[in-house]
């Protein structure tokens, strides 16, 4: 059976990664969470003091880009890949609200995007990949055979994210999370470089009122139909 490329884009906390992981597993494809790559670069920038709530030095961050090495390392025990920043496992730290608060600014920098998009295209050049992000169907793989654009209301997404953060023991309020979801939606959709948009050949998928099993079944069936047609 021929392998295809599956691009899953959409707003933050729409459950892209959950579905993308399940789809990759069912099809025997590689899964790549591109948000983790932007988050790892952001973590580096926070640690070096290049970005914060009060001041940013994007020039220093761009100059430091050659020193930032991000890679996925498969964890056999857990059965999924974890993000490494310069050989340190940062999988947990990159999901914190502190990183979420700065990441949209970092992801809007042209040089950061150029570096990460190149890496993503390299990872997907053999196809057989499910990649999730914001610009996968529009910029990274405009020729992807299956493009999905996931949406859900900001409140639904904030509830999901709030629960995840509480489960990991983070000290946050629902209002803070909702504010972050709204502000990231705005920055991600209005930035100059590769804004989040619905590619014209993508299927829009609103999962506000849909359970995981139904979402997976629909997407899986859709993917199989495309693969069989190829
Ligand atoms: O999917 P996520 O919430 O982990 O993504 C984190 C941020 O990275 C998000 O605010 C937008 C940005 N991003 C992007 O600009 N392009 C991608 N392909 C993936 C993520």
């Amino acid at each position: 059976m021929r392998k295809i490329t599956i691009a899953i884009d959409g707003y933050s906390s729409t459950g892209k990664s959950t579905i993308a992981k399940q789809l990759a597993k069912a099809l025997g494809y590689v899964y790549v969470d591109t948000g983790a790559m932007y988050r790892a670069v952001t973590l580096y920038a926070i640690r070096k003091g290049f970005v914060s709530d009060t001041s940013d030095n994007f020039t220093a961050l761009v100059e430091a880009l050659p020193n930032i090495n991000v890679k996925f390392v498969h964890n056999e025990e857990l059965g999924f890949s974890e993000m490494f920043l310069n050989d340190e496992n940062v999988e947990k730290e990159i999901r914190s609200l502190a990183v979420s608060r700065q990441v949209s600014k970092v992801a809007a920098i042209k040089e950061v995007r150029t570096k990460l998009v190149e890496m993503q295209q390299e990872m997907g050049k053999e196809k057989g990949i499910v990649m999730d992000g914001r610009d996968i169907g529009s910029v990274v793989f405009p020729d992807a055979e299956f493009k999905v654009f996931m949406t859900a209301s900001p409140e639904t997404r904030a509830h999901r994210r709030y629960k995840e953060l509480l489960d990991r023991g983070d000290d946050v309020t629902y209002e803070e999370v909702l504010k972050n979801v709204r502000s990231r939606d705005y920055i991600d959709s209005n930035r100059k470089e590769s804004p989040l948009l619905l590619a014209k050949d993508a299927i829009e998928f609103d999962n506000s009122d849909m359970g995981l099993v139904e979402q997976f079944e629909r997407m899986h069936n859709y993917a199989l139909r495309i693969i069989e047609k190829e």
Side-chain angles (χ1 to χ4, degrees), residues 9-13 16 33-36 38-39 95 100 103-104 107-108 113 120 132-136 140 184 188 191 194:
D9 290 304
Y11 294 102
S12 63
S13 306
K16 298 187 295 291
D33 167 10
T34 60
Y38 289 94
R39 287 173 177 274
R95 315 279 168 197
S100 297
V103 67
S104 287
R113 303 203 70 82
Q120 291 153 10
D132 80 35
R134 302 293 188 288
D135 59 342
I136 311 306
V140 182
R184 282 204 287 150
D188 294 346
R191 68 183 178 216
S194 317

Side-chain angles (χ1 to χ4, degrees), residues 4-199:
I4 63 165
T5 301
I6 302 180
I8 304 188
D9 290 304
Y11 294 102
S12 63
S13 306
T14 37
K16 298 187 295 291
S17 64
T18 309
I19 289 297
K21 264 185 219 158
Q22 290 180 348
L23 214 48
K25 195 166 170 209
L27 298 170
Y29 281 16
V30 172
Y31 163 63
V32 177
D33 167 10
T34 60
M37 300 167 76
Y38 289 94
R39 287 173 177 274
V41 172
T42 304
L43 178 62
Y44 181 96
I46 293 172
R47 287 178 175 175
K48 291 280 180 194
F50 297 152
V51 293
S52 73
D53 284 340
T54 48
S55 75
D56 300 315
N57 185 347
F58 296 148
T59 311
L61 172 56
V62 169
E63 274 169 16
L65 276 178
N67 309 326
I68 308 178
N69 176 24
V70 298
K71 65 168 186 261
F72 291 101
V73 177
H74 191 74
N75 183 323
E76 292 292 337
E77 241 170 72
L78 297 173
F80 58 80
S81 292
E82 295 177 300
M83 175 48 68
F84 279 64
L85 167 64
N86 293 342
D87 294 324
E88 174 193 349
N89 185 338
V90 291
E91 183 59 32
K92 180 152 190 259
E93 208 174 339
I94 57 168
R95 315 279 168 197
S96 64
L97 191 58
V99 170
S100 297
R101 282 223 307 268
Q102 309 299 329
V103 67
S104 287
K105 282 188 297 196
V106 172
I109 302 170
K110 185 168 169 238
E111 290 83 352
V112 171
R113 303 203 70 82
T114 305
K115 174 179 166 119
L116 298 186
V117 167
E118 248 172 49
M119 288 176 64
Q120 291 153 10
Q121 287 172 333
E122 182 65 29
M123 289 179 211
K125 71 174 195 278
E126 309 287 343
K127 300 198 174 222
I129 196 160
V130 184
M131 196 172 271
D132 80 35
R134 302 293 188 288
D135 59 342
I136 311 306
S138 55
V139 175
V140 182
F141 297 121
D143 297 330
E145 291 84 352
F146 183 22
K147 297 183 187 177
V148 184
F149 188 90
M150 303 217 357
T151 59
S153 70
E155 291 76 13
T156 304
R157 291 184 283 127
H159 272 295
R160 290 177 186 159
R161 188 87 190 109
Y162 175 57
K163 193 174 167 300
E164 268 170 33
L165 289 167
L166 286 191
D167 286 348
R168 4 173 308 155
D170 285 11
D171 179 23
V172 288
T173 64
Y174 169 73
E175 284 68 31
E176 278 176 312
V177 177
L178 180 61
K179 193 170 154 217
N180 176 253
V181 162
R182 288 216 162 101
S183 110
R184 282 204 287 150
D185 283 0
Y186 183 82
I187 304 178
D188 294 346
S189 308
N190 290 284
R191 68 183 178 216
K192 206 168 107 231
E193 297 298 328
S194 317
L196 172 65
L197 49 85
L198 174 66

Side-chain angles (χ1 to χ4, degrees), residues 183-226:
S183 110
R184 282 204 287 150
D185 283 0
Y186 183 82
I187 304 178
D188 294 346
S189 308
N190 290 284
R191 68 183 178 216
K192 206 168 107 231
E193 297 298 328
S194 317
L196 172 65
L197 49 85
L198 174 66
K200 62 177 184 322
D201 47 355
I203 302 169
E204 197 172 352
F205 203 84
D206 185 325
N207 65 13
S208 303
D209 302 308
M210 208 185 285
L212 279 178
V213 175
E214 188 185 348
Q215 283 180 59
F216 168 73
E217 276 172 6
R218 283 202 193 191
M219 291 241 208
H220 189 217
N221 286 337
Y222 212 99
L224 289 178
R225 280 211 297 277
I226 294 174

